[in-house]
Amino acid sequence: MANNLTKIIAGLLIAIAVLLGIYAWMLGRSTQNAAPVQQPVAASPVPVVIATRVLPAGQPITADALKIRQTTPVPTGAFADPSVLVGRVPAADIPASSPVVAG
């Protein structure tokens, strides 16, 4: 009698394990496409001072060497007003078409 009961319980446990395995497989398959894709938020452009030509180190910056361009990823230390930079001396060469930043 105890031997038959053990066989029945073992059969039920195997059936439950198979059903749980199928359920887990279905959950794993459905979550691959269920995650919503977030669209990147477009930031509004900000005015940044850009060098119109190469600004050599050790020479004062002139007003005609600077222009303002609207850009979205604002560089750290970027300037928005070119008049602040006129007459300042860069410590390193600033390439043409690159933002002028502090430091």
Side-chain angles (χ1 to χ4, degrees):
M1 176 81 175
N3 196 13
N4 286 338
L5 184 60
T6 305
K7 289 181 182 178
I8 292 172
I9 291 174
L12 287 174
L13 289 175
I14 290 172
I16 290 172
V18 169
L19 290 174
L20 287 175
I22 292 170
Y23 180 67
W25 177 74
M26 289 175 60
L27 282 178
R29 206 174 118 221
S30 65
T31 57
Q32 291 174 357
N33 298 331
V37 177
Q38 293 182 353
Q39 298 294 330
V41 178
S44 60
V46 177
V48 174
V49 177
I50 305 292
T52 58
R53 56 183 160 84
V54 176
L55 302 176
Q59 295 183 4
I61 300 173
T62 59
D64 65 335
L66 303 172
K67 70 177 178 179
I68 297 176
R69 185 186 322 165
Q70 300 289 330
T71 184
T72 320
V74 180
T76 305
F79 292 93
D81 184 16
S83 64
V84 176
L85 295 169
V86 174
R88 291 179 72 174
V89 179
D93 289 343
I94 300 173
S97 300
S98 65
V100 181
V101 294

